[in-house]
Amino acid sequence: MAFTIAIDGPAAAGKGTIGRALAAHFGFAHLDTGLLYRATGRRMLCGLDPVTAAQSLRPEDLNADDLRTPEVSQAASRVAAIPEVRQALLDFQRAFARRAGGAVLDGRDIGTVICPEAEVKLYVTASDVERARRRHLELTGKGHTVTLDEVAQDLRDRDARDSARATAPLKPARDAVQLDTSEMSIEEATERAVAIVTAAQG
Ligand code: C5P
């Protein structure tokens, strides 16, 4: 039976962490849809036309180890504003969302465009300062050399671009449950999300 959890929100708000935890808890498959745009953006940086890059994305493109750098993040957000790129990635995401056995997808337009019929919609946010702090910690922990200011600027630029674009802009679905994780530990945020999903399962 299909059961979809759609998680949207701005960059580095904790969507991925919560998505992975929910998938593990409920035994659902998880898709970080940002990776599709990051892999497309990375291929564009290598010289490919972005629409061609999205149309010919290969599984191994999603495993590149530099997908989280600010340079690739910016490229992802630029290609994500191109309607043909979004169109090329649509069917894969929709099929994933309705697969048997349950699915968790996190991104920007999951509850609004990819799967408006999702059984649970979460809109995860956190303060700008907290998001920058978390992403900076994640990147430096992986050995990337980047300053807190650069990370904060990357998040500001992307949120502005992602919210302002004409196609599938970042915004909460009307029926999304909002979860502000600024003051929450990972355990608290996960517990809260599990409770929301459990309540929806009835
Ligand atoms: O989620 P993440 O920060 O990895 O996403 C990278 C970029 O991909 C975002 O800034 C956004 O521009 C784009 N994106 C999108 N729609 C999604 C997921 C990501 O436009 N569903």
Side-chain angles (χ1 to χ4, degrees), residues 8 11-12 15 32-35 37-38 68 73 76-78 80 86 93 106-110 135 158 162 165 168:
D8 292 304
K15 304 182 299 290
D32 169 359
T33 65
L35 282 183
Y37 295 93
R38 287 176 182 274
R68 301 252 163 231
S73 301
S77 150
R78 288 204 307 276
R86 306 199 72 84
Q93 295 177 83
D106 68 83
R108 304 291 186 290
D109 62 340
I110 309 303
R135 181 52 54 91
R158 285 198 290 137
D162 293 346
R165 69 181 174 224

Side-chain angles (χ1 to χ4, degrees), residues 8-200:
D8 292 304
K15 304 182 299 290
T17 305
I18 292 173
R20 277 189 299 277
L22 285 176
H25 183 91
F26 292 100
F28 292 177
H30 173 239
L31 179 64
D32 169 359
T33 65
L35 282 183
L36 303 173
Y37 295 93
R38 287 176 182 274
T40 303
R42 183 174 177 277
R43 295 185 90 196
M44 177 184 75
L45 292 175
C46 294
L48 241 71
D49 163 70
V51 178
T52 309
Q55 286 168 341
S56 60
L57 218 53
R58 303 154 302 186
E60 60 264 35
D61 293 322
L62 305 181
N63 292 328
D65 58 8
D66 59 351
L67 290 180
R68 301 252 163 231
T69 63
E71 193 193 9
V72 174
S73 301
Q74 287 296 324
S77 150
R78 288 204 307 276
V79 299
I82 304 170
E84 293 82 3
V85 166
R86 306 199 72 84
Q87 183 62 39
L89 302 173
L90 194 70
D91 288 348
F92 172 72
Q93 295 177 83
R94 287 211 169 131
F96 192 98
R98 298 316 274 172
R99 65 196 276 153
V104 185
L105 289 85
D106 68 83
R108 304 291 186 290
D109 62 340
I110 309 303
T112 51
V113 174
I114 301 298
C115 195
E117 70 275 30
E119 281 74 11
V120 179
K121 296 179 191 174
L122 297 176
Y123 193 80
V124 179
T125 60
S127 69
D128 294 0
V129 172
E130 185 57 22
R131 291 189 292 126
R133 191 189 68 79
R134 290 179 191 166
R135 181 52 54 91
H136 182 249
L137 208 62
E138 180 190 337
L139 285 170
T140 51
K142 283 183 184 159
H144 294 293
T145 318
V146 62
T147 67
L148 184 61
D149 277 354
E150 283 167 340
V151 173
Q153 188 62 48
D154 167 57
L155 299 185
R156 269 196 300 276
D157 289 349
R158 285 198 290 137
D159 289 348
R161 200 184 291 123
D162 293 346
S163 304
R165 69 181 174 224
T167 308
L170 165 67
K171 64 171 180 198
R174 257 184 298 117
D175 50 348
V177 179
Q178 307 243 1
L179 193 59
D180 182 341
T181 67
S182 308
E183 309 279 321
M184 292 182 191
S185 66
I186 291 176
E187 291 73 23
E188 284 166 338
T190 303
E191 223 173 90
R192 180 87 189 91
V194 166
I196 293 166
V197 176
T198 304

